[in-house]
Amino acid sequence: MLKRHRYGCIEAGGTKFVLGVFDENGKVIARTVIPTTLPQETLNAAMEWFDLHAPFCGIGIASFGPCDIEKGIITNTPKRGWENTPIADIIRRRFLCPVGFDTDVGAAAQAELIHGAGTGHSSVVYITVGTGIGGAYSNINEQTKARTRPEMGHISVTRHPEDTDFDGICPFHKDCLEGLASGPAITERWGTSLSKMEYPEKAINVIGFYLGQFSVTLAATLAPSRIIFGGGVMGTKELIGTIRASASQINNGYLPTDFHQTIVRPGTGADSGLIGAYLLAKAAAL
Ligand code: ZN
């Protein structure tokens, strides 16, 4: 394999950077994980590792946000030190190759559409439910990207009848979807995560109700072929069934969407961000 057919891939997360080198067939040649500390330290460590595998015909970056996708900049993130980091430019200058850039959720949506649970379908929404709630829409005809990905996690939701005492934790809206159904909202409300609860049934019903509402909103506005739920909170296996049931109940036969078919788990597993970065690298190199 000639080295020039290699693609460098970065899944830049708030706690860790996952780095990968792919060949032109999408096979992983090498991968590593480094902790996310301060930008200079983390990016230097990433570039030193990539030096071992350079040159590349393209590099893809799937980054935590919010981001300016056109400029390849992490913008007003609360993550200390990372505000206004021109991550794509830094990488481009070092390796002198085309660089593709998207949000981590946007890249994961693309990976799921091409190689995951959306394969054979025309459009997906990929949602991650973890430290925050983020979502991105991707369809096969998507030629241009918006300057910023929409912040789907911060929509307003109707309260579950048994969830009226909790204020919500979003610093902007308190009880938006993220403020009520993200991992930190679960821990704040019930003292522990879904996966560690002794009797999680009520919590699963409440969280499933909010994510079910979200699914109906997505079906009504974007009508994606697949609504894909990933992220740490989805590690609780029973949750996906509750989301499907809640969405069907809330929809009440109005939209023709079959939520039991439409709402699915990711097909690319934990690698959706890295595979998305590979697709970005390949597209940038064309
Ligand atoms: Zn919010």
Side-chain angles (χ1 to χ4, degrees), residues 143-180:
Q143 298 295 328
T144 54
K145 292 208 169 67
R147 280 177 59 81
T148 57
R149 290 276 186 185
E151 290 293 326
M152 292 189 187
H154 291 262
I155 61 163
S156 300
V157 286
T158 301
R159 286 295 188 119
H160 188 283
E162 290 175 28
D163 187 40
T164 50
D165 295 340
F166 179 61
D167 286 343
I169 59 149
C170 175
F172 298 94
H173 320 108
K174 284 193 186 292
D175 61 352
C176 66
L177 179 68
E178 180 171 299
L180 291 173

Side-chain angles (χ1 to χ4, degrees), residues 6-29:
R6 290 182 172 181
Y7 297 90
C9 306
I10 304 174
E11 184 185 356
T15 52
K16 63 182 183 193
F17 269 43
V18 183
L19 311 175
V21 177
F22 285 63
D23 71 14
E24 59 189 351
N25 300 314
K27 193 168 155 278
V28 181
I29 298 168

Side-chain angles (χ1 to χ4, degrees), residues 79-98:
K79 176 105 186 137
R80 194 170 66 90
W82 286 86
E83 199 170 292
N84 299 320
T85 302
I87 180 165
D89 253 4
I90 292 168
I91 297 292
R92 192 181 293 116
R93 281 198 204 124
R94 172 76 159 248
F95 295 100
L96 304 172
C97 68

